[in-house]
Amino acid sequence: MSIRELQRCNDAAGISSGDTTLWPSLARTESAHAGFSRAWTSCGAFEWVALGYLLLSSAMIFVFSKHLLHPWKLIGAQAIVAIFIFLLCSVGERAIERAQLEGVKLSTRFWRFWRCWYPHLFFLFCFEELAYLVHLVNPNWQDAKLIAFDHWMFGVHPAVWLERFATPVRNDFIQLAYLTYFVYLLVLGGILYFKKEWHAYWSVMTYSAVAYAIGYLIASVFPIESPWFAMVGMWHGELHGGPFTATVNFIEHFGRVRGAAFPSEHVAGSVAALWGAWRFRRWLFWVMLPLIAAMCVSTVWGRYHYVADIFGGMVTGTLGYMIGSRIVERCGAVASEQRSVIA
């Protein structure tokens, strides 16, 4: 008989003999098991993509730790994020179960909101973390390769060539186009959220998660710092404009990551959302298409990306949709999508 079987027999004997000292430990064990089981079963396709990325990224950090200053801090941060995801899923599932018994309350809607919208915070965390991971594998910038590619394709350096058309009014218009990136997933997700189309909502989030994850991993092995840094000195001056230019400059000043330019995560995320609109809101697809095209131009105009970055973002965004669709089919968009109690 194994040690585990002996322990099980002893526990059973203790309970049958009236030894209540075992009950609290059994209750705690069962409660912990129930909590973990709740968190596990409440994870949908998005969570498995997010947790898979964190696991793979942590493994890469461990393997290439000699290239990093504080690898264990990065692994610890990722572990905390993974725990947060499990806890939020568990709490959200518990809120659904309570709503089934007591009806929908303000707390139910509160946890549903954060359960649905935390992916945006996850994307932000992963992007900002790339500032520490861009030289994870390769210590040298690879911009020369993309500069050569752009020049081979166009015969000029696109960002430098576009400078001749720059005026304050044009700059501000182009920067407005650049800012539209931040609303594509919010608008599409917001429509699906308020319409309570949970399968569609989490499908779109999963497409984006896959697209971003592919981009993050590529950026970790192929570091590109962007024309803003690599081609400094080739410009004739700064791009001046109005309020939209000032807004972008503010965002870039406090949120810019040096590196992680290839593939363009702006383009990848936008294209993934565009495919989601094509599938679930076809009219919105046609609204977004010209805006995203202008946004792609703005990334080169503003000296944030090479044209090669744009092509890379289009590919990874499309892969996000294709692979994400398969994952949703296999895992389900969200484990509790069939529950209508919070509808």
Side-chain angles (χ1 to χ4, degrees):
M1 183 178 291
S2 67
I3 295 177
R4 181 176 297 178
E5 290 172 336
L6 286 171
Q7 182 66 39
R8 191 177 301 161
C9 291
N10 289 337
D11 291 348
I15 293 174
S16 62
S17 63
D19 186 0
T20 59
T21 60
L22 294 173
W23 293 357
S25 62
L26 289 173
R28 286 193 296 269
T29 301
E30 185 171 344
S31 177
H33 176 74
F36 179 79
S37 177
R38 180 186 294 110
W40 184 269
T41 57
S42 64
C43 290
F46 174 85
E47 280 75 35
W48 297 126
V49 173
L51 294 170
Y53 168 76
L54 292 174
L55 180 61
L56 180 56
S57 179
S58 293
M60 292 175 65
I61 293 172
F62 177 79
V63 171
F64 298 100
S65 59
K66 64 180 180 180
H67 297 158
L68 301 171
L69 290 177
H70 305 289
W72 291 109
K73 288 184 179 180
L74 294 172
I75 292 175
Q78 295 199 337
I80 291 172
V81 172
I83 293 171
F84 171 81
I85 291 174
F86 272 120
L87 288 176
L88 185 57
C89 290
S90 178
V91 172
E93 188 74 5
R94 182 177 296 178
I96 292 175
E97 294 172 356
R98 185 174 298 173
Q100 289 177 321
L101 298 174
E102 304 173 5
V104 177
K105 298 181 179 179
L106 180 61
S107 60
T108 306
R109 300 186 186 279
F110 174 84
W111 289 113
R112 181 190 66 179
F113 176 86
W114 285 110
R115 174 71 174 83
C116 289
W117 289 100
Y118 86 90
H120 296 270
L121 299 178
F122 176 76
F123 298 147
L124 180 61
F125 164 81
C126 293
F127 181 74
E128 293 298 324
E129 186 189 40
L130 288 177
Y132 305 97
L133 300 180
V134 289
H135 292 304
L136 179 64
V137 177
N138 193 331
N140 301 313
W141 296 114
Q142 302 297 309
D143 289 68
K145 295 181 175 64
L146 300 192
I147 292 173
F149 174 85
D150 279 11
H151 195 274
W152 168 78
M153 174 168 283
F154 297 100
V156 296
H157 298 296
V160 177
W161 182 79
L162 286 170
E163 188 180 19
R164 69 185 63 190
F165 303 105
T167 67
V169 174
R170 291 196 187 105
N171 290 341
D172 221 39
F173 175 79
I174 291 295
Q175 298 294 16
L176 172 61
Y178 182 78
L179 286 171
T180 60
Y181 156 75
F182 296 100
V183 304
Y184 298 135
L185 189 57
L186 287 173
V187 170
L188 176 58
I191 292 173
L192 299 174
Y193 177 84
F194 286 108
K195 290 292 185 180
K196 300 178 176 60
E197 298 178 22
W198 306 122
H199 175 86
Y201 179 89
W202 283 107
S203 294
V204 170
M205 292 299 164
T206 303
Y207 306 156
S208 299
V210 175
Y212 283 131
I214 294 173
Y216 299 150
L217 294 173
I218 293 175
S220 298
V221 300
F222 188 65
I224 299 295
E225 60 178 342
S226 85
W228 183 276
F229 298 104
M231 300 179 70
V232 64
M234 298 180 67
W235 327 114
H236 294 95
E238 296 183 6
L239 298 174
H240 298 285
F244 298 117
T245 301
T247 301
V248 171
N249 290 339
F250 176 83
I251 294 173
E252 291 294 321
H253 178 74
F254 289 100
R256 173 182 282 132
V257 172
R258 184 168 186 173
F262 180 87
S264 169
E265 300 296 351
H266 285 76
V267 176
S270 299
V271 169
L274 185 67
W275 280 115
W278 172 267
R279 183 163 185 176
F280 298 111
R281 285 295 186 279
R282 190 66 56 87
W283 65 268
L284 185 59
F285 170 88
W286 296 112
V287 174
M288 291 170 57
L289 183 61
L291 296 175
I292 291 177
M295 189 272 298
C296 290
V297 173
S298 75
T299 63
V300 179
W301 179 291
R303 306 163 182 174
Y304 311 123
H305 286 288
Y306 305 104
V307 174
D309 300 337
I310 309 306
F311 293 156
M314 291 178 178
V315 172
T316 53
T318 301
L319 286 175
Y321 170 71
M322 296 172 63
I323 298 173
S325 297
R326 294 292 185 89
I327 294 174
V328 167
E329 290 175 3
R330 293 178 64 88
C331 300
V334 62
S336 57
E337 66 185 0
Q338 299 301 324
R339 303 188 181 190
S340 58
V341 65
I342 59 174

